[in-house]
Amino acid sequence: QVQLVESGGGLAQPGGSLRLSCTTSGFTFSRYAMSWARQAPGKGLEWVSGIYSDGSNTDYAAPVKGRFTISRDNAKNTLYLQMNSLKPGDTAVYYCAKSVSATEYRIQSSRGQGTQVTVSS
């Protein structure tokens, strides 16, 4: 079955960086667009970023554009999210998600368990 396992979360200071990883199994990773989403305490799920199956196109939510970079390694079946210039407002549980096609990263069919990111001084 589809498995998505996030890692790399933790505590960072404002202005700091973290790199999240999502290791996958149970499906042909290179055939599907992928995305990252987050859920802050007391708030709903927010889409953060998406990437085409071949990595040729990426997209970002306005709050993270210019600070976060999504990437993937299809040989390693792994998705990444490089987060720079972190702000307290980035504090959330971050999830990676598998989409339903090679390009529709905003439509997700599976999601991992999440990794906690806390930005605080």
Side-chain angles (χ1 to χ4, degrees):
Q1 71 276 21
V2 172
Q3 288 194 325
L4 308 167
V5 180
E6 302 91 341
S7 62
L11 177 64
Q13 291 190 339
S17 298
L18 285 173
R19 189 193 194 203
L20 305 184
S21 299
C22 174
T23 56
T24 73
S25 61
F27 66 104
T28 305
F29 180 73
S30 61
R31 292 184 180 177
Y32 292 91
M34 298 290 293
S35 62
W36 289 96
R38 67 186 182 185
Q39 187 165 22
K43 295 188 177 181
L45 192 66
E46 175 190 24
W47 177 82
V48 171
S49 181
I51 186 168
Y52 279 3
S53 61
D54 62 359
S56 62
N57 187 61
T58 59
D59 195 13
Y60 301 91
V64 308
K65 203 164 190 176
R67 300 188 296 121
F68 290 9
T69 302
I70 190 172
S71 63
R72 63 192 295 157
D73 186 334
N74 284 350
K76 295 183 178 179
N77 296 333
T78 302
L79 178 73
Y80 303 99
L81 186 67
Q82 177 68 43
M83 305 186 296
N84 298 330
S85 303
L86 283 164
K87 304 175 181 180
D90 295 319
T91 295
V93 177
Y94 283 73
Y95 301 92
C96 74
K98 170 187 171 291
S99 78
V100 297
S101 76
T103 59
E104 294 178 280
Y105 42 71
R106 286 184 180 266
I107 304 175
Q108 294 112 36
S109 61
S110 301
R111 196 167 69 219
Q113 294 298 307
T115 185
Q116 175 70 47
V117 171
T118 302
V119 184
S120 174
S121 55

